[in-house]
């Protein structure tokens, strides 16, 4: 059972998400919050596997809340909810540790799929928004690129191959097929990549790869 937390200052949005998630037999809504501060309190009181977090909220915004949630002793995975006009905030949320983001008008089936994917350790980025966010706000030159390339030097050539496909949003099974290896081996490589790059999830690894120019 995937235990979820809904964080949004709009009561109707919370109600709709709770109804959607509650209809999935594999998902349980254990708590709701109207702002980031309440989200931290709820995540500390209840074991939460995945938190769906709005970006723009009173008291504490979703970006700050994401960083605080990820810093908890037992941190939940975080899916950021946003709209296209919040691209800048979405990138910041990903950099803060979110495992993905969705637009609020995403098809309900895709929202449920995202919860399951993120709970399983994968990332879920809305395809139309992902490249816009990364291409517009993630520079591929200057000090950030130099630092990113230095961190990639810690990886073996095979790990760099895995990272390049991971940065394209490929799932472990797809990476395994493309590189002709076992999926369990891919998982081991991904774990090693995250440790070597000192990042917390696949999204941050992908952003670092783009900084370094490993992928376009």
């Amino acid at each position: 059972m995937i235990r979820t937390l809904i964080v949004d200052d709009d009561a109707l949005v919370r109600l709709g998400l709770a109804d959607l998630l509650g209809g999935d037999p594999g998902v349980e809504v254990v708590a709701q919050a109207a702002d980031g501060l309440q989200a931290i309190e709820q995540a500390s009181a209840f074991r939460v596997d995945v938190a769906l977090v709005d970006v723009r909220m009173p008291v504490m915004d979703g970006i700050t809340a994401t960083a605080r949630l990820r810093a908890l002793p037992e941190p939940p995975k975080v899916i950021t909810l946003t709209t296209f006009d919040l691209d800048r905030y979405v990138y910041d949320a990903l950099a803060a540790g979110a495992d993905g983001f969705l637009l609020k008008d995403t098809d309900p089936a895709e929202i449920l799929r995202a919860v399951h994917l993120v709970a399983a350790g994968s990332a879920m980025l809305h395809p139309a928004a992902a490249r816009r966010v990364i291409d517009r706000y993630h520079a591929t030159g200057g000090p950030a690129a130099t630092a990113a390339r230095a961190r990639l030097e810690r990886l073996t050539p095979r790990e760099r191959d895995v990272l390049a496909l991971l940065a394209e949003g490929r799932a472990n099974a797809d990476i395994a097929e493309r590189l002709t290896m076992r999926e369990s081996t891919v998982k081991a490589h991904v774990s090693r990549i995250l440790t070597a790059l000192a990042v917390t999830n696949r999204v941050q690894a992908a952003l670092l790869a783009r900084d370094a120019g490993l992928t376009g």
Side-chain angles (χ1 to χ4, degrees), residues 2-8 14 17-18 21 28-34 38-39 41-48 50-52:
I2 302 171
R3 297 166 61 86
T4 60
L5 165 65
I6 298 170
V7 187
D8 198 297
R14 294 199 305 273
L17 286 172
L21 298 177
E28 178 185 6
V29 179
V30 297
Q32 298 183 33
Q38 288 183 13
E41 295 170 349
Q42 297 284 43
S44 299
F46 300 93
R47 180 179 65 79
V48 176
V50 178
L52 287 84

mmCIF file of all heavy atoms in Angstrom, residues 2-8 14 17-18 21 28-34 38-39 41-48 50-52:
data_model
loop_
_atom_site.group_PDB
_atom_site.id
_atom_site.type_symbol
_atom_site.label_atom_id
_atom_site.label_comp_id
_atom_site.label_asym_id
_atom_site.label_seq_id
_atom_site.Cartn_x
_atom_site.Cartn_y
_atom_site.Cartn_z
ATOM 1 N N ILE A 2 0.621 2.152 -0.946
ATOM 2 C CA ILE A 2 1.375 3.411 -1.040
ATOM 3 C C ILE A 2 0.655 4.471 -0.204
ATOM 4 O O ILE A 2 -0.487 4.822 -0.482
ATOM 5 C CB ILE A 2 1.492 3.872 -2.498
ATOM 6 C CG1 ILE A 2 2.177 2.804 -3.352
ATOM 7 C CG2 ILE A 2 2.263 5.189 -2.576
ATOM 8 C CD1 ILE A 2 2.128 3.095 -4.846
ATOM 9 N N ARG A 3 1.321 4.979 0.803
ATOM 10 C CA ARG A 3 0.737 5.972 1.700
ATOM 11 C C ARG A 3 1.048 7.367 1.166
ATOM 12 O O ARG A 3 2.223 7.714 0.977
ATOM 13 C CB ARG A 3 1.286 5.793 3.117
ATOM 14 C CG ARG A 3 0.910 4.447 3.740
ATOM 15 C CD ARG A 3 1.734 4.135 4.977
ATOM 16 N NE ARG A 3 1.545 5.123 6.017
ATOM 17 C CZ ARG A 3 0.570 5.101 6.925
ATOM 18 N NH1 ARG A 3 -0.315 4.100 6.902
ATOM 19 N NH2 ARG A 3 0.478 6.028 7.858
ATOM 20 N N THR A 4 0.018 8.164 0.903
ATOM 21 C CA THR A 4 0.212 9.459 0.256
ATOM 22 C C THR A 4 -0.225 10.629 1.132
ATOM 23 O O THR A 4 -1.076 10.489 2.016
ATOM 24 C CB THR A 4 -0.555 9.538 -1.077
ATOM 25 O OG1 THR A 4 -1.961 9.359 -0.824
ATOM 26 C CG2 THR A 4 -0.068 8.469 -2.037
ATOM 27 N N LEU A 5 0.366 11.780 0.851
ATOM 28 C CA LEU A 5 0.037 13.045 1.503
ATOM 29 C C LEU A 5 -0.288 14.051 0.404
ATOM 30 O O LEU A 5 0.482 14.194 -0.553
ATOM 31 C CB LEU A 5 1.232 13.536 2.332
ATOM 32 C CG LEU A 5 1.222 14.994 2.807
ATOM 33 C CD1 LEU A 5 0.078 15.239 3.793
ATOM 34 C CD2 LEU A 5 2.567 15.350 3.452
ATOM 35 N N ILE A 6 -1.412 14.737 0.517
ATOM 36 C CA ILE A 6 -1.821 15.740 -0.464
ATOM 37 C C ILE A 6 -1.594 17.127 0.134
ATOM 38 O O ILE A 6 -2.098 17.427 1.225
ATOM 39 C CB ILE A 6 -3.301 15.579 -0.841
ATOM 40 C CG1 ILE A 6 -3.535 14.207 -1.487
ATOM 41 C CG2 ILE A 6 -3.740 16.689 -1.793
ATOM 42 C CD1 ILE A 6 -4.998 13.869 -1.665
ATOM 43 N N VAL A 7 -0.839 17.960 -0.574
ATOM 44 C CA VAL A 7 -0.493 19.293 -0.063
ATOM 45 C C VAL A 7 -0.908 20.341 -1.088
ATOM 46 O O VAL A 7 -0.294 20.475 -2.148
ATOM 47 C CB VAL A 7 1.022 19.409 0.219
ATOM 48 C CG1 VAL A 7 1.315 20.735 0.917
ATOM 49 C CG2 VAL A 7 1.514 18.233 1.052
ATOM 50 N N ASP A 8 -1.969 21.094 -0.789
ATOM 51 C CA ASP A 8 -2.465 22.123 -1.707
ATOM 52 C C ASP A 8 -3.348 23.071 -0.911
ATOM 53 O O ASP A 8 -4.119 22.629 -0.058
ATOM 54 C CB ASP A 8 -3.253 21.492 -2.848
ATOM 55 C CG ASP A 8 -3.407 22.422 -4.043
ATOM 56 O OD1 ASP A 8 -4.049 23.487 -3.886
ATOM 57 O OD2 ASP A 8 -2.881 22.092 -5.117
ATOM 58 N N ARG A 14 -7.586 19.450 -3.236
ATOM 59 C CA ARG A 14 -7.312 18.376 -2.273
ATOM 60 C C ARG A 14 -8.415 17.318 -2.328
ATOM 61 O O ARG A 14 -8.149 16.117 -2.308
ATOM 62 C CB ARG A 14 -7.182 18.916 -0.853
ATOM 63 C CG ARG A 14 -5.984 19.823 -0.625
ATOM 64 C CD ARG A 14 -5.651 19.958 0.856
ATOM 65 N NE ARG A 14 -6.779 20.396 1.662
ATOM 66 C CZ ARG A 14 -7.116 21.663 1.871
ATOM 67 N NH1 ARG A 14 -6.414 22.638 1.298
ATOM 68 N NH2 ARG A 14 -8.138 21.981 2.639
ATOM 69 N N LEU A 17 -8.096 15.243 -5.589
ATOM 70 C CA LEU A 17 -6.971 14.314 -5.538
ATOM 71 C C LEU A 17 -7.235 13.181 -4.560
ATOM 72 O O LEU A 17 -6.899 12.018 -4.828
ATOM 73 C CB LEU A 17 -5.691 15.064 -5.147
ATOM 74 C CG LEU A 17 -5.076 15.954 -6.224
ATOM 75 C CD1 LEU A 17 -3.940 16.779 -5.635
ATOM 76 C CD2 LEU A 17 -4.562 15.109 -7.389
ATOM 77 N N ALA A 18 -7.843 13.512 -3.429
ATOM 78 C CA ALA A 18 -8.151 12.479 -2.436
ATOM 79 C C ALA A 18 -9.130 11.465 -3.010
ATOM 80 O O ALA A 18 -8.992 10.251 -2.782
ATOM 81 C CB ALA A 18 -8.723 13.116 -1.168
ATOM 82 N N LEU A 21 -7.068 9.345 -5.672
ATOM 83 C CA LEU A 21 -6.117 8.416 -5.062
ATOM 84 C C LEU A 21 -6.835 7.352 -4.246
ATOM 85 O O LEU A 21 -6.424 6.186 -4.223
ATOM 86 C CB LEU A 21 -5.123 9.179 -4.182
ATOM 87 C CG LEU A 21 -4.238 10.206 -4.897
ATOM 88 C CD1 LEU A 21 -3.356 10.929 -3.888
ATOM 89 C CD2 LEU A 21 -3.380 9.540 -5.959
ATOM 90 N N GLU A 28 -3.299 4.784 -0.445
ATOM 91 C CA GLU A 28 -4.051 5.270 0.708
ATOM 92 C C GLU A 28 -3.663 6.722 0.984
ATOM 93 O O GLU A 28 -2.473 7.056 1.019
ATOM 94 C CB GLU A 28 -3.744 4.429 1.949
ATOM 95 C CG GLU A 28 -4.454 4.904 3.209
ATOM 96 C CD GLU A 28 -4.046 4.121 4.452
ATOM 97 O OE1 GLU A 28 -3.117 3.286 4.345
ATOM 98 O OE2 GLU A 28 -4.636 4.362 5.512
ATOM 99 N N VAL A 29 -4.640 7.599 1.135
ATOM 100 C CA VAL A 29 -4.382 8.983 1.517
ATOM 101 C C VAL A 29 -4.364 9.033 3.045
ATOM 102 O O VAL A 29 -5.401 8.873 3.688
ATOM 103 C CB VAL A 29 -5.452 9.939 0.961
ATOM 104 C CG1 VAL A 29 -5.160 11.369 1.414
ATOM 105 C CG2 VAL A 29 -5.497 9.867 -0.562
ATOM 106 N N VAL A 30 -3.188 9.240 3.621
ATOM 107 C CA VAL A 30 -3.075 9.214 5.084
ATOM 108 C C VAL A 30 -3.192 10.603 5.701
ATOM 109 O O VAL A 30 -3.458 10.730 6.899
ATOM 110 C CB VAL A 30 -1.756 8.557 5.537
ATOM 111 C CG1 VAL A 30 -1.706 7.098 5.105
ATOM 112 C CG2 VAL A 30 -0.549 9.316 4.996
ATOM 113 N N ALA A 31 -2.986 11.662 4.894
ATOM 114 C CA ALA A 31 -3.060 13.014 5.444
ATOM 115 C C ALA A 31 -3.181 14.034 4.324
ATOM 116 O O ALA A 31 -2.849 13.752 3.162
ATOM 117 C CB ALA A 31 -1.834 13.325 6.299
ATOM 118 N N GLN A 32 -3.670 15.225 4.693
ATOM 119 C CA GLN A 32 -3.751 16.351 3.777
ATOM 120 C C GLN A 32 -3.212 17.586 4.488
ATOM 121 O O GLN A 32 -3.229 17.664 5.721
ATOM 122 C CB GLN A 32 -5.191 16.596 3.334
ATOM 123 C CG GLN A 32 -5.820 15.437 2.576
ATOM 124 C CD GLN A 32 -7.221 15.753 2.082
ATOM 125 O OE1 GLN A 32 -7.535 16.895 1.741
ATOM 126 N NE2 GLN A 32 -8.078 14.744 2.037
ATOM 127 N N ALA A 33 -2.743 18.550 3.697
ATOM 128 C CA ALA A 33 -2.206 19.788 4.268
ATOM 129 C C ALA A 33 -2.517 20.946 3.341
ATOM 130 O O ALA A 33 -2.553 20.782 2.117
ATOM 131 C CB ALA A 33 -0.697 19.672 4.476
ATOM 132 N N ALA A 34 -2.744 22.126 3.918
ATOM 133 C CA ALA A 34 -3.093 23.313 3.140
ATOM 134 C C ALA A 34 -1.898 24.214 2.860
ATOM 135 O O ALA A 34 -2.013 25.198 2.138
ATOM 136 C CB ALA A 34 -4.186 24.102 3.865
ATOM 137 N N GLN A 38 2.230 22.781 7.291
ATOM 138 C CA GLN A 38 1.356 21.673 7.685
ATOM 139 C C GLN A 38 1.853 20.358 7.078
ATOM 140 O O GLN A 38 1.741 19.299 7.709
ATOM 141 C CB GLN A 38 -0.079 21.933 7.234
ATOM 142 C CG GLN A 38 -0.817 23.007 8.014
ATOM 143 C CD GLN A 38 -2.261 23.162 7.557
ATOM 144 O OE1 GLN A 38 -2.782 22.324 6.824
ATOM 145 N NE2 GLN A 38 -2.901 24.241 7.981
ATOM 146 N N ALA A 39 2.406 20.438 5.879
ATOM 147 C CA ALA A 39 2.912 19.230 5.221
ATOM 148 C C ALA A 39 4.044 18.603 6.031
ATOM 149 O O ALA A 39 4.098 17.378 6.195
ATOM 150 C CB ALA A 39 3.403 19.563 3.819
ATOM 151 N N GLU A 41 4.539 18.922 9.227
ATOM 152 C CA GLU A 41 3.946 18.372 10.455
ATOM 153 C C GLU A 41 3.271 17.028 10.182
ATOM 154 O O GLU A 41 3.433 16.080 10.947
ATOM 155 C CB GLU A 41 2.940 19.371 11.024
ATOM 156 C CG GLU A 41 3.570 20.682 11.490
ATOM 157 C CD GLU A 41 2.535 21.738 11.829
ATOM 158 O OE1 GLU A 41 1.337 21.528 11.502
ATOM 159 O OE2 GLU A 41 2.920 22.779 12.399
ATOM 160 N N GLN A 42 2.523 16.944 9.086
ATOM 161 C CA GLN A 42 1.811 15.716 8.766
ATOM 162 C C GLN A 42 2.769 14.590 8.387
ATOM 163 O O GLN A 42 2.582 13.436 8.784
ATOM 164 C CB GLN A 42 0.814 15.961 7.619
ATOM 165 C CG GLN A 42 -0.286 16.959 7.935
ATOM 166 C CD GLN A 42 -1.361 16.366 8.834
ATOM 167 O OE1 GLN A 42 -1.081 15.674 9.799
ATOM 168 N NE2 GLN A 42 -2.618 16.631 8.498
ATOM 169 N N ALA A 43 3.793 14.928 7.619
ATOM 170 C CA ALA A 43 4.760 13.909 7.215
ATOM 171 C C ALA A 43 5.576 13.410 8.400
ATOM 172 O O ALA A 43 6.071 12.277 8.386
ATOM 173 C CB ALA A 43 5.690 14.472 6.139
ATOM 174 N N SER A 44 5.711 14.245 9.419
ATOM 175 C CA SER A 44 6.419 13.836 10.628
ATOM 176 C C SER A 44 5.541 12.967 11.519
ATOM 177 O O SER A 44 6.040 12.120 12.272
ATOM 178 C CB SER A 44 6.885 15.076 11.410
ATOM 179 O OG SER A 44 7.766 15.868 10.642
ATOM 180 N N ALA A 45 4.233 13.183 11.438
ATOM 181 C CA ALA A 45 3.295 12.436 12.281
ATOM 182 C C ALA A 45 2.879 11.107 11.649
ATOM 183 O O ALA A 45 2.584 10.144 12.368
ATOM 184 C CB ALA A 45 2.053 13.282 12.555
ATOM 185 N N PHE A 46 2.844 11.053 10.329
ATOM 186 C CA PHE A 46 2.419 9.845 9.622
ATOM 187 C C PHE A 46 3.544 9.371 8.710
ATOM 188 O O PHE A 46 4.267 10.186 8.146
ATOM 189 C CB PHE A 46 1.181 10.117 8.756
ATOM 190 C CG PHE A 46 -0.023 10.582 9.517
ATOM 191 C CD1 PHE A 46 -0.262 11.945 9.685
ATOM 192 C CD2 PHE A 46 -0.914 9.671 10.065
ATOM 193 C CE1 PHE A 46 -1.381 12.387 10.376
ATOM 194 C CE2 PHE A 46 -2.032 10.095 10.754
ATOM 195 C CZ PHE A 46 -2.262 11.456 10.928
ATOM 196 N N ARG A 47 3.672 8.074 8.539
ATOM 197 C CA ARG A 47 4.620 7.565 7.558
ATOM 198 C C ARG A 47 4.024 7.804 6.179
ATOM 199 O O ARG A 47 2.942 7.338 5.866
ATOM 200 C CB ARG A 47 4.876 6.071 7.766
ATOM 201 C CG ARG A 47 5.878 5.506 6.749
ATOM 202 C CD ARG A 47 6.140 4.036 6.986
ATOM 203 N NE ARG A 47 4.943 3.228 6.767
ATOM 204 C CZ ARG A 47 4.486 2.870 5.574
ATOM 205 N NH1 ARG A 47 5.113 3.302 4.467
ATOM 206 N NH2 ARG A 47 3.402 2.116 5.458
ATOM 207 N N VAL A 48 4.745 8.556 5.356
ATOM 208 C CA VAL A 48 4.269 8.917 4.019
ATOM 209 C C VAL A 48 5.262 8.413 2.983
ATOM 210 O O VAL A 48 6.465 8.641 3.103
ATOM 211 C CB VAL A 48 4.113 10.445 3.885
ATOM 212 C CG1 VAL A 48 3.717 10.821 2.465
ATOM 213 C CG2 VAL A 48 3.082 10.966 4.880
ATOM 214 N N VAL A 50 4.639 8.909 -0.594
ATOM 215 C CA VAL A 50 4.644 9.890 -1.686
ATOM 216 C C VAL A 50 3.806 11.103 -1.283
ATOM 217 O O VAL A 50 2.663 10.954 -0.846
ATOM 218 C CB VAL A 50 4.071 9.292 -2.987
ATOM 219 C CG1 VAL A 50 4.042 10.359 -4.089
ATOM 220 C CG2 VAL A 50 4.881 8.086 -3.438
ATOM 221 N N ALA A 51 4.380 12.288 -1.436
ATOM 222 C CA ALA A 51 3.647 13.533 -1.188
ATOM 223 C C ALA A 51 3.437 14.256 -2.508
ATOM 224 O O ALA A 51 4.377 14.434 -3.277
ATOM 225 C CB ALA A 51 4.420 14.424 -0.219
ATOM 226 N N LEU A 52 2.188 14.650 -2.782
ATOM 227 C CA LEU A 52 1.888 15.470 -3.944
ATOM 228 C C LEU A 52 1.806 16.909 -3.452
ATOM 229 O O LEU A 52 0.938 17.246 -2.647
ATOM 230 C CB LEU A 52 0.566 15.045 -4.589
ATOM 231 C CG LEU A 52 0.604 13.715 -5.348
ATOM 232 C CD1 LEU A 52 0.410 12.548 -4.400
ATOM 233 C CD2 LEU A 52 -0.453 13.677 -6.436
#
